[in-house]
Amino acid sequence: MNTENMSEARIPRHTLHAYVSAIWTHAGSTPREAQLVADHLVMANMSGHDSHGVGMIPRYMASLGDGELKLNTHAGIVRDAGAVLTIDGKKGFGQVVAYEAMERGIERAKKLGVCAVGLRNAHHIGRIGHWAEQCAAAGLVSFHFVNVAGDPLVAPFGGIDRRFGTNPFCAAFPRDGREPLVLDFATSGIAYGKTRVAYNKGVKVEPGYLIDHAGVPTVEPKVMHEAPFGSLTAMGAHKGYGLAAMCEIFGGALSGGYTTHESTLDTTNAIINCMTSVIVDPKAFDAPDAEAEADAFVEWVKASPLAANTDRIMVPGEPERVRRAELEVKGVPIDPTTWQQIHDAAVTAGMPAAEIDGYMKALR
Ligand SMILES: NC(=O)c1ccc[n+]([C@@H]2O[C@H](COP(=O)([O-])OP(=O)(O)OC[C@H]3O[C@@H](n4cnc5c(N)ncnc54)[C@H](O)[C@@H]3O)[C@@H](O)[C@H]2O)c1
């Protein structure tokens, strides 16, 4: 496929979903696995988080080639202690094993009021908001602490080299018949994927997010992509660093997985996530007004006079909802480089040229 003269493509959500699903079916996934992976990746793009969307396919395909990603692998219960479940992802697709881990935790939280789930050794579990939304769809509150085991990119507060991953934190509050509130972010100041985008475009990043190999602040994204390597900094100085550290310890250690240190550094294409999730049934609290109180708060903060260059005040999860509504109409934008890489991954997966061409024809 020649993408040289192709400007950013717009692909209808359902076409992109079918293409992604077909790629993984050709690679050897069951139809259910292929569907769960496509559900997750396409929804990440739809939510505006391209760094965790279909652009991950080439990396996953490389991890499969390395023998790291294990297709058609299911979450295995290591220990069932009632309200605490320890689950092994066995390097299965994170989109499958995290889904299954949440299914188990949801079922248990509905029965007991609360369930803590430790999921370890999952291949990349992507956009953590996806798992919080799965819990919220079942009417449950959830908190998620995640580490990216053995893959350091972020410097500790006061340090000058990369010692841990972009460790995401996520929390969600369900609302009856409406979209939940979902807070979901990497604890680095900016996501690693944003430095890649800036590097590829030849532009600088905003000040405050990067240091070079000597610890000197820089706006050059190349420090993340060319030796000598620099580091991302944690969001919010010592507070963000502290949250990242607790994500590492809750996600990596408490789950029975592993944290990032000398003996766990990983140089393969695999991305291994460990996650500790706490899933709570809000109905178990004596709080019949909880949702009304949350609504009153949302209304209150939205009534603040607007700062310059701001057209509205949003709450966590709202930017993603706005983006989904927009892309449902306009299609999902994919840049030519990413589209070419996905095409190459489809070839690697064994998809026949005629089938690939069929998907290309569906482009807007
Ligand atoms: N699996 C992994 O290893 C891994 C690692 C790091 C990040 N991630 C994922 O990457 C994704 C992107 O992370 P990020 O740090 O770039 O996210 P981000 O900086 O875009 O922040 C997103 C969060 O901030 C909220 N938000 C954004 N703008 C807002 C506004 N104006 N008002 C109110 N709320 C607002 C969003 O609703 C969302 O909850 C996340 O989904 C995260 O889970 C995954």
Side-chain angles (χ1 to χ4, degrees), residues 65-297:
D66 288 347
E68 293 290 323
L69 168 62
K70 311 287 184 204
L71 299 188
N72 304 318
T73 298
H74 296 282
I77 300 246
V78 180
R79 184 163 184 214
D80 182 342
V84 180
L85 298 174
T86 309
I87 295 179
D88 193 348
K90 298 180 268 181
K91 293 193 179 178
F93 250 128
Q95 288 77 4
V96 173
V97 295
Y99 182 85
E100 293 172 345
M102 292 304 99
E103 268 187 330
R104 304 262 191 172
I106 287 167
E107 180 260 328
R108 202 54 67 87
K110 286 198 159 175
K111 202 160 134 196
L112 302 176
V114 63
C115 181
V117 180
L119 171 66
R120 64 205 198 195
N121 301 326
H123 199 267
H124 193 229
I125 59 175
R127 187 180 72 89
I128 310 307
H130 199 85
W131 314 121
E133 285 163 5
Q134 186 181 344
C135 297
L140 304 176
V141 165
S142 63
F143 316 94
H144 309 260
F145 299 84
V146 182
N147 85 330
V148 194
D151 193 6
L153 294 169
V154 186
F157 183 69
I160 64 163
D161 70 352
R162 34 174 86 184
R163 295 276 157 166
F164 51 86
T166 54
N167 296 359
F169 171 77
C170 179
F173 183 82
R175 297 186 295 174
D176 200 17
R178 290 175 298 157
E179 296 278 1
L181 302 174
V182 181
L183 178 64
D184 170 30
F185 56 75
T187 48
S188 47
I190 52 170
Y192 175 69
K194 287 182 183 160
T195 70
R196 191 181 57 235
V197 172
Y199 178 66
N200 289 344
K201 285 185 179 169
V203 300
K204 301 186 190 319
V205 300
E206 283 177 39
Y209 297 126
L210 293 174
I211 53 175
D212 69 14
H213 67 285
V216 177
T218 178
V219 293
E220 294 294 345
K222 75 173 182 196
V223 302
M224 298 306 293
H225 303 278
E226 292 175 25
F229 290 108
S231 310
L232 291 162
T233 54
M235 65 170 211
H238 61 288
K239 301 178 190 182
Y241 158 58
L243 182 55
M246 297 317 277
C247 284
E248 187 78 27
I249 290 162
F250 286 166
L254 190 62
S255 66
Y258 58 100
T259 60
T260 302
H261 48 84
E262 188 74 41
S263 59
T264 62
L265 298 181
D266 183 3
T267 53
T268 71
N269 282 295
I271 305 169
I272 301 300
N273 282 134
C274 304
M275 170 166 74
T276 290
S277 303
V278 181
I279 306 171
V280 184
D281 187 349
K283 294 191 182 72
F285 285 90
D286 179 21
D289 297 333
E291 195 170 326
E293 282 297 316
D295 284 349
F297 173 73

Side-chain angles (χ1 to χ4, degrees), residues 337-360:
T337 306
T338 302
W339 196 232
Q340 178 65 54
Q341 289 168 348
I342 294 170
H343 167 81
D344 294 345
V347 173
T348 305
M351 187 182 285
E355 191 177 339
I356 295 175
D357 284 347
Y359 289 109
M360 296 306 124

